[in-house]
Amino acid sequence: MMDEFEFIDSITQKYYRQSSVIKGIGDDAAILRHSYHDLVTAVDTMVDGVHFSKETVPPFYIGYRTLAANISDMAAMGAVPTSYMISLVVPKDYSNHELQAIYQGMDQLSRQYHMDLIGGDTVTGDQLVVSVTIHGVVDKDKARLRSHARDGDIVFVTGTLGDSRFGLGLLLDEYKRQPYNDQLDKIDRDFFIHRHQQPTPRVDFARDLTPLQRVALNDVSDGIASEANEIAKASQVTLIIDDDQVPVHPDMNILPDELIHDYKYSGGEDFELLGTVSTQDFPFVVEIARKHHLPLCQIGYVKDAEHTNQRVYLKQHDTLKRLKKTGYTHKN
Amino acid sequence: MMDEFEFIDSITQKYYRQSSVIKGIGDDAAILRHSYHDLVTAVDTMVDGVHFSKETVPPFYIGYRTLAANISDMAAMGAVPTSYMISLVVPKDYSNHELQAIYQGMDQLSRQYHMDLIGGDTVTGDQLVVSVTIHGVVDKDKARLRSHARDGDIVFVTGTLGDSRFGLGLLLDEYKRQPYNDQLDKIDRDFFIHRHQQPTPRVDFARDLTPLQRVALNDVSDGIASEANEIAKASQVTLIIDDDQVPVHPDMNILPDELIHDYKYSGGEDFELLGTVSTQDFPFVVEIARKHHLPLCQIGYVKDAEHTNQRVYLKQHDTLKRLKKTGYTHKN
């Protein structure tokens, strides 16, 4: 492995795209100047063997996906990503080529968003760990919090759900002993694999919602069962989700019903946005989605929590069951 | 191990000390508002078995030291730390008690600096990895960069050097087969062990230098040989350091000369500050150090690089040798 100094030199940008970067890589810390916006920041860590494996995700896509997950956090706040810092724990047997590939995966995505790499840390360890700290900006008091859902809101979601999990299954050849295995030739495999390896954070869509006073947003990292429960808890409301309206890609229908349920509610890592907005503002949300050619579905509504306190219910065949954060449904 | 949700609940602060924290833990990202200052940020990652081991550093001090290293980066920028985010990779066999102890070590130090914990991520892995992202603020255009050294500057350092490395050696019982081992009873062991486990970042001293227009600062994380070379390179100057003036604790003198040299130039992790300032401003620096009861020594001077390009020289017994970033000296 090349030493840390060489690696830092090799990834230091020749110029910074963002005027807010006063000092990037090359000192004890980076300096950012945001006088007119709020700064939004998050950290996301991925571990080899836990969040990805070299068999299903080549190094380039490890970088790409880790940064995409972070950018998705910015989208979920209604923020525009501006810069990031990488912290890598690298096993001794990891080659320079692989290390550079991780970086290149991040670099490709960061160029697309005009982001700057402003710092980082590379250390040796037993297991590959990729941790990214991201920064973004949002207009003052326009951040999209989980706590912003209100009684009567429409619950919506972008894109289709469970695609990333199905893509992983295809990469791992998980269905080879299943009766539906022979139908896998007929589906759009590349679509699902692309959704797993190169997810697209919904930054542009979220940014264009800025004129709205209030939107609750959460990105689909763990699965909408988990994200919907987070909104319910933070906003102290109840969410009712109509199973028939939750969007899945038509090719997913070759899978058994239980697997579809599992993938769409807790597959996760689709990096779509789950949100709530007033009925009055919903047409504007639909219009913005259309502008970005982004599928958007109304999947339910919000009501005051009362005694049923901060829960998510799933309407399925005219019965209402509790949807727990794991994706399991429960009678009460 | 308790699940991530429980852990996050257990470490979420009931209120935030900094008014700049608009949103802390509990959403997709944290929100900071710094309209009148520059924001300074860095990430530092420590790995079990590489940067610390449970034998020499109990979990409480693993937390304490990791955050101290980050706060020291803020001091080296002349910034005041305000908030931090933790990313932990935790082995399955790690107990809740140990996990909480890491956090408590950070919490104790963060209270002292009125800092807020505003985010984080806890994931499972094979090896303990503690990564901290820190934020601080500095007056606009008053950040203390490595590139600020100028011809004629005085080179100074705070505290004494090599203490942390000697403390580690005592903890590891590294000297038991050495002829000087029996003299170890006479020294202030607790001082060196404390310097290793609970280093004190020099934030207050650095902050009080704010009235000065220009100071170059670098914190002693790798050892002053490395830090001095970083300043020389970034400022494109030559640093001349006088070996006789580089401060070590008197108890260090029981060690052989070569070991003292090694510890003071490349022991590292003392988290003192190495700096350069004009001769005119040096008395002010001395006064501020005195105010904080912080030892401060002039250890050399800066001259223009000319053909000897961006190097550090060590004056030893009236000869001038090149001091490489590893701490080795070399004839040219």
Side-chain angles (χ1 to χ4, degrees), chain B residues 304-322:
Chain B
D304 263 338
E306 296 167 29
H307 29 263
T308 55
N309 227 357
Q310 307 164 23
R311 287 182 172 174
V312 179
Y313 289 91
L314 191 64
K315 191 171 156 273
Q316 227 172 357
H317 317 302
D318 289 326
T319 64
L320 219 54
K321 286 177 180 168
R322 188 172 166 199

Side-chain angles (χ1 to χ4, degrees), chain B residues 1-3 7 11 59 88-91 94-105 122 128:
Chain B
M1 203 180 99
M2 76 178 97
D3 80 11
F7 181 68
I11 65 174
L88 287 175
V89 180
V90 185
Y94 222 70
S95 73
N96 286 341
H97 181 79
E98 289 171 305
L99 200 57
Q100 293 285 3
I102 292 175
Y103 159 70
Q104 281 155 6
T122 312
L128 183 70

Side-chain angles (χ1 to χ4, degrees), chain B residues 50-296:
Chain B
V50 179
H51 301 92
F52 57 79
S53 80
K54 275 164 93 177
E55 290 91 71
T56 53
V57 186
F60 180 90
Y61 297 112
I62 291 173
Y64 195 102
R65 274 186 71 208
T66 309
L67 188 58
N70 277 273
I71 294 175
S72 182
D73 282 330
M74 293 298 102
M77 298 297 279
V80 174
T82 52
S83 63
Y84 66 113
M85 301 190 289
I86 309 177
S87 163
L88 287 175
V89 180
V90 185
K92 283 209 175 75
D93 62 358
Y94 222 70
S95 73
N96 286 341
H97 181 79
E98 289 171 305
L99 200 57
Q100 293 285 3
I102 292 175
Y103 159 70
Q104 281 155 6
M106 294 200 193
D107 190 53
Q108 189 184 91
L109 195 57
S110 80
R111 281 166 194 267
Q112 206 175 309
Y113 290 93
H114 305 287
M115 294 171 67
D116 291 312
L117 175 62
I118 59 165
D121 199 14
T122 312
V123 296
T124 306
D126 297 339
Q127 189 181 27
L128 183 70
V129 178
V130 186
S131 185
V132 171
T133 300
I134 192 163
H135 307 106
V137 288
V138 67
D139 284 6
K140 283 178 185 172
D141 303 313
K142 284 294 181 78
R144 305 314 189 179
L145 302 183
R146 294 173 186 170
S147 56
H148 282 172
R150 296 288 176 269
D151 184 33
D153 273 6
I154 283 173
V155 179
F156 64 86
V157 71
T158 63
T160 47
L161 299 170
D163 301 336
S164 173
R165 181 64 190 82
F166 191 25
L168 177 66
L170 292 168
L171 283 164
L172 292 172
D173 207 4
E174 275 179 355
Y175 315 107
K176 62 184 166 196
R177 300 214 175 97
Q178 302 301 333
Y180 50 85
N181 188 50
D182 54 346
Q183 294 182 62
L184 293 177
D185 299 337
K186 301 176 203 153
I187 68 163
D188 188 353
R189 291 176 64 96
D190 289 346
F191 168 80
F192 295 103
I193 289 170
H194 185 83
R195 290 275 286 165
H196 181 68
Q197 293 185 330
Q198 285 186 279
T200 304
R202 303 307 184 188
V203 172
D204 299 339
F205 164 75
R207 186 195 51 210
D208 284 354
L209 299 180
T210 304
L212 297 180
Q213 259 316 311
R214 180 185 61 78
V215 186
L217 284 182
N218 207 352
D219 72 319
V220 182
S221 49
D222 295 322
I224 63 162
S226 174
E227 328 305 351
N229 274 285
E230 285 177 348
I231 290 175
K233 191 180 168 194
S235 298
Q236 299 188 279
V237 295
T238 295
L239 268 65
I240 316 285
I241 291 174
D242 185 345
D243 185 50
D244 287 339
Q245 295 184 294
V246 178
V248 290
H249 189 282
D251 285 356
M252 194 92 92
N253 288 319
I254 65 156
L255 297 174
D257 286 349
E258 316 81 71
L259 211 56
I260 296 174
H261 176 94
D262 187 32
Y263 285 7
K264 72 180 174 177
Y265 291 109
S266 53
E269 301 200 329
D270 291 314
F271 301 116
E272 296 297 342
L273 293 173
L274 177 73
T276 91
V277 71
S278 69
T279 49
Q280 188 192 321
D281 287 336
F282 186 62
F284 181 78
V285 175
V286 172
E287 187 192 312
I288 296 300
R290 194 170 293 141
K291 177 185 153 194
H292 292 287
H293 309 290
L294 179 64
L296 183 124

Side-chain angles (χ1 to χ4, degrees), chain A residues 90-107:
Chain A
V90 184
K92 283 207 174 77
D93 62 358
Y94 220 69
S95 74
N96 287 341
H97 182 77
E98 290 171 303
L99 201 56
Q100 293 285 1
I102 293 176
Y103 159 70
Q104 281 155 5
M106 295 199 193
D107 190 52

